[in-house]
Amino acid sequence: ACANVASLLMARASARQREISIRLALGAGRSRLLQQFLAESLLIALIGGVAGLLAAGLALKTLIASIPWDIPLTSAVGMDARVLAFTFLLVVATSLVFGFSSYWQTSRLDLNASLKESWRSAARNGARSALVIGEIAFSLMLLVGAGLLIESIYLLHQQKLGFDPRHVYTMTTPFGPAPKLTATQVWNFEQDLLRHIRAIPGVVSAASITNLPLTGPDNLPTQHEGHPEHSIGGMEYRAISSQYFQTMHIPILQGRAFRESDTASSTPVAIVSKTVARAWWNGKSPIGDRIVVGEYGGRQFPEVLEQPRQVVGVVADVKNLAIDEADPTTVYVPAPQVSRPPGSTAWVVRASGNPSLGTALRKAVAAVNSDERVLNLRSMSDLVAQSMARPTFNASLMSTFAALALALTSVGIYGLLSFQVARRTQEIGIRMALGAKRASVLLMVVKQGAFLAAAGIAFGVVGAVVLTRFLSSLLSGVRATDPFTYTLVSVLLLFVALLASYIPARRASKVDPLVALRYE
């Protein structure tokens, strides 16, 4: 925006050179001209600043409402003295810079040469062209960043969750710090509540789990028994009831799911995810082999050590931590066989055709324990959407800035070429009077816009390569130097530049030679 303002004010000063020369010849002082330029630029900047504040005030509530994470006291976010002071200082600074640049441009005039000039412009267009090239470069950097984030969002949507979130509802029941429940008491509570939930009309199946997918880590060191080289220090650990895989539609790839007969008195068993099976058994069947939770690299950790568990099944990988999680490693154990009581229990309920399911679930919990709280009652689809909210917000914000930059760049290219066409009207008329075709005049102006675009794109690509590395932590499945994004953005920017060039070029090609020769 500043580049556009600077370019237009410089163009305006260039167009007024004869007027300024006459003022100086008639005795106007240089200080008088400086005051005039500063007053004009300050007026323009103040109008723009006030308009910007009004627009920001209207957009602020929408922006705050779209933030996907909780911020305390968002009502305190608003226009205050600091915002007004910043805006005022920005307005004054831009006014001074652009006013002085216009004054500096005119202070170098040769009065005799300027007064003799008619259609010829004494000013050079190099500075304005450089500003437009800079605009194009900055626009490309923003567009590349937005493109990379959008591509990352697309790839996230293509990720396989490992479960079907549709028609699944979740909630959490935290257990208070006192009195401390034993693992057996927790399981008895879970069994009782599961019976009440399954009795609700419309419920297809229900299960409990210590930690829901996409809600964060819950891991323990785990080792393939007798193979210390097969150890994972942060193995995701989930204690589940028997219908969990059925409720979440997680496919059993080998072996079996847990049964009601997998109790505290039966053989300790476990189910591993596909990634664990592939890493530790390398294509062989792990069924019947054993793992040890609480052991890593041959070293045992007594505070979390469990009896060796026999692997009875392999299930599909499930995203535990985030949608962009790579190769999730998980071990599942039956809830009745857990010796350490969890701090809370999460619940998954697959249901259809019950609009009052939330109320029914709260009543079911109250029927088992009236003191038990219910937290995070929501659909699994909402949970998945929430995990996508932050990257989607980042992409939307960057795309908004990039679209604004692209629009300003288009205005900048159009304004510069329109000014140059107007200044060259008589030249174009002479060319056409001497036999130049309209198509050649059209091509001449468009080529100028294409040159500006090519130069800006070249500088922008270099800048984007340097700056997009700071976006790496926000990207998923796409490199910061993705050639497809760079190519697509460059083509888009070139197309916009040519489109912005076409309008003044078309106007130039329609110049009447007779009128142009008399143009002053």
Side-chain angles (χ1 to χ4, degrees), residues 203-257:
V203 171
V204 178
S205 60
S208 64
I209 183 172
T210 47
N211 208 21
L212 289 168
L214 302 176
T215 57
D218 184 7
N219 50 64
L220 292 172
T222 306
Q223 178 186 307
H224 180 190
E225 187 183 39
H227 296 269
E229 72 279 8
H230 292 167
S231 300
I232 296 177
M235 176 80 79
E236 290 301 319
Y237 178 91
R238 301 291 185 270
I240 61 174
S241 62
S242 59
Q243 291 189 14
Y244 177 73
F245 298 127
Q246 173 189 341
T247 303
M248 296 291 286
H249 287 181
I250 300 174
I252 305 292
L253 305 179
Q254 295 183 48
R256 65 173 178 85

Side-chain angles (χ1 to χ4, degrees), residues 37-58:
F37 283 124
L38 290 178
E40 291 175 352
S41 60
L42 181 61
L43 180 61
I44 293 172
L46 282 174
I47 295 173
V50 171
L53 279 175
L54 293 176
L58 294 174

Side-chain angles (χ1 to χ4, degrees), residues 93-430:
T94 53
S95 302
L96 292 175
V97 171
F98 300 148
F100 274 115
S101 65
S102 298
Y103 170 74
W104 178 79
Q105 182 179 342
T106 57
S107 66
R108 302 173 64 194
L109 287 176
D110 183 338
L111 294 183
N112 290 328
S114 181
L115 288 170
K116 292 175 183 178
E117 287 181 348
S118 56
W119 57 269
R120 292 185 300 274
S121 174
R124 296 178 179 179
N125 294 319
R128 294 191 294 276
S129 296
L131 287 171
V132 172
I133 289 173
E135 268 196 285
I136 295 172
F138 280 114
S139 294
L140 185 135
M141 286 186 277
L142 280 172
L143 284 167
V144 166
L148 291 173
L149 289 171
I150 290 171
E151 187 175 355
S152 180
I153 290 295
Y154 172 78
L155 293 175
L156 284 177
H157 279 288
Q158 305 307 309
Q159 291 276 355
K160 294 182 179 179
L161 298 173
F163 60 90
D164 181 8
R166 295 172 297 179
H167 310 298
V168 175
Y169 301 86
T170 70
M171 65 178 180
T172 303
T173 52
F175 303 115
K180 186 68 173 178
L181 298 176
T182 64
T184 301
Q185 289 173 322
V186 170
W187 173 237
N188 290 336
F189 167 78
E190 292 176 355
Q191 281 184 301
D192 198 3
L193 182 53
L194 283 172
R195 283 192 292 269
H196 281 76
I197 292 174
R198 289 165 184 164
I200 297 173
V203 171
V204 178
S205 60
S208 64
I209 183 172
T210 47
N211 208 21
L212 289 168
L214 302 176
T215 57
D218 184 7
N219 50 64
L220 292 172
T222 306
Q223 178 186 307
H224 180 190
E225 187 183 39
H227 296 269
E229 72 279 8
H230 292 167
S231 300
I232 296 177
M235 176 80 79
E236 290 301 319
Y237 178 91
R238 301 291 185 270
I240 61 174
S241 62
S242 59
Q243 291 189 14
Y244 177 73
F245 298 127
Q246 173 189 341
T247 303
M248 296 291 286
H249 287 181
I250 300 174
I252 305 292
L253 305 179
Q254 295 183 48
R256 65 173 178 85
F258 293 138
R259 299 168 180 162
E260 297 291 342
S261 57
D262 293 321
T263 62
S265 59
S266 63
T267 303
V269 294
I271 294 175
V272 297
S273 63
K274 179 182 176 181
T275 297
V276 176
R278 184 173 60 246
W280 287 359
W281 285 273
N282 194 23
K284 298 179 181 179
S285 174
I287 306 302
D289 214 339
R290 300 204 300 180
I291 64 172
V292 181
V293 176
E295 189 170 7
Y296 177 80
R299 179 188 173 189
Q300 293 184 342
F301 298 85
E303 63 276 11
V304 293
L305 184 64
E306 297 181 355
Q307 295 182 22
R309 293 182 176 274
Q310 185 180 40
V311 178
V312 296
V314 178
V315 295
D317 290 331
V318 172
K319 302 293 186 181
N320 292 310
L321 307 180
I323 290 182
D324 60 348
E325 177 185 16
D327 300 327
T329 56
T330 313
V331 58
Y332 299 92
V333 302
Q337 294 184 351
V338 174
S339 58
R340 298 178 306 279
S344 64
T345 297
W347 307 83
V348 290
V349 181
R350 182 169 292 276
S352 59
N354 189 343
S356 59
L357 181 63
T359 302
L361 289 174
R362 291 184 184 277
K363 288 181 178 179
V365 174
V368 177
N369 184 352
S370 59
D371 296 328
E372 185 60 68
R373 295 177 297 157
V374 176
L375 304 178
N376 302 321
L377 182 56
R378 56 189 170 181
S379 70
M380 196 70 205
S381 297
D382 287 342
L383 195 153
V384 173
Q386 183 179 353
S387 67
M388 292 283 292
R390 184 183 291 264
T392 300
F393 178 76
N394 291 335
S396 300
L397 201 60
M398 180 70 84
S399 299
T400 300
F401 288 130
L404 183 60
L406 184 61
L408 290 172
T409 300
S410 304
V411 171
I413 296 172
Y414 171 79
L416 176 65
L417 295 181
S418 293
F419 171 77
Q420 292 183 355
V421 166
R423 300 293 288 170
R424 298 175 66 183
T425 299
Q426 196 173 59
E427 173 199 341
I428 293 170
I430 293 174

